[in-house]
């Protein structure tokens, strides 16, 4: 009886020396992304130099993945930075909570519902103004022009093979 090399998904035999690749997929769900950081912190304590070359995230999980993919340090350093990001997050960094802002948005939605597209009344992008979150993430991820420069550096140095981010825009107007 002979022993065969394991087969990969393409049906080709894998070599004995090939290092297995790890992928990390993080789901969405608002505050669940903060819980993800807790799990990642525990992993980073045990494996501070862990390399995860394939990253994917949805919604709030995409925020975590964006940070991990963009950070050029060790796994432990990435997780420390991500933990700091979540510790520094305040409600005012997510959306505008002032009474006048909320009242004005509710009024605009009410007008749109009652009258349709009333002339002179701008469309609303949601019940709260999420511009603060956009600004917070641009600053936290060092993405002044919307690009994440650390991703290219990580790819060039072999620390990263691929990233997939999925999120919906809060900026879509309510018709």
């Amino acid at each position: 009886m002979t022993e065969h090399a394991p087969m990969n998904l393409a049906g080709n035999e894998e070599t004995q020396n090939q290092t297995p690749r790890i992928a990390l997929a993080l789901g969405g769900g608002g505050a669940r992304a903060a819980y993800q950081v807790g799990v990642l912190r525990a992993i980073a304590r045990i494996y501070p130099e862990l390399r995860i070359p394939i990253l994917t995230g949805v919604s709030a999980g995409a925020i975590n993945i964006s940070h991990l993919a963009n950070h050029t340090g060790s796994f432990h350093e990435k997780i420390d930075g991500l933990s700091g990001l979540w510790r520094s997050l305040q409600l005012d960094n997510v959306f505008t909570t002032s009474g006048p802002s909320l009242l004005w948005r509710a009024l605009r939605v009410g007008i749109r519902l009652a009258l349709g597209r009333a002339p002179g009344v701008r469309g609303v992008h949601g019940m709260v103004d999420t511009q603060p979150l956009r600004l917070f993430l641009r600053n936290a991820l060092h993405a002044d022009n919307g690009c994440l420069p650390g991703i290219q550096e990580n790819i060039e140095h072999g620390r990263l093979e691929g990233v997939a981010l999925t999120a919906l825009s809060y900026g879509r107007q309510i018709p």
Side-chain angles (χ1 to χ4, degrees):
M1 174 183 260
T2 61
E3 194 171 311
H4 295 284
M7 301 291 275
N8 63 23
L9 292 178
N12 303 325
E13 288 188 8
E14 294 182 10
T15 63
Q16 295 284 358
N17 298 335
Q18 187 175 20
T19 304
R21 295 188 340 234
I22 300 172
L24 177 63
L26 299 179
R32 287 188 187 119
Y35 302 141
Q36 294 167 355
V37 177
V39 172
L40 292 170
R41 281 174 52 96
I43 294 169
R45 275 191 223 113
I46 299 167
Y47 303 103
E49 298 301 321
L50 180 65
R51 184 177 158 273
I52 304 175
I54 303 166
L55 303 170
T56 183
V58 175
S59 194
I63 293 171
N64 289 341
I65 291 298
S66 295
H67 178 83
L68 296 176
N70 192 49
H71 196 291
T72 57
S74 69
F75 184 67
H76 188 267
E77 292 168 339
K78 290 178 185 203
I79 301 306
D80 278 350
L82 186 57
S83 184
L85 183 147
W86 281 99
R87 278 194 306 270
S88 70
L89 189 64
Q90 301 291 317
L91 188 60
D92 291 343
N93 299 125
V94 179
F95 47 79
T96 303
T97 58
S98 70
S101 174
L102 294 173
L103 181 62
W104 176 237
R105 286 181 162 291
L107 181 63
R108 286 170 42 202
V109 167
I111 291 170
R112 293 296 293 259
L113 290 172
L115 304 174
R117 291 186 164 259
V121 178
R122 275 187 322 136
V124 192
H125 297 286
M127 289 305 293
V128 293
D129 178 5
T130 58
Q131 184 65 18
L133 180 59
R134 179 187 320 269
L135 297 174
F136 176 80
L137 290 175
R138 278 187 180 227
N139 183 47
L141 297 171
H142 309 290
D144 298 329
N145 62 357
C147 293
L148 300 172
I151 291 176
Q152 184 64 38
E153 182 178 333
N154 283 329
I155 289 172
E156 288 171 358
H157 288 91
R159 297 183 291 251
L160 187 62
E161 293 177 26
V163 179
L165 305 172
T166 305
L168 297 176
S169 173
Y170 283 117
R172 303 296 296 186
Q173 266 191 358
I174 297 172

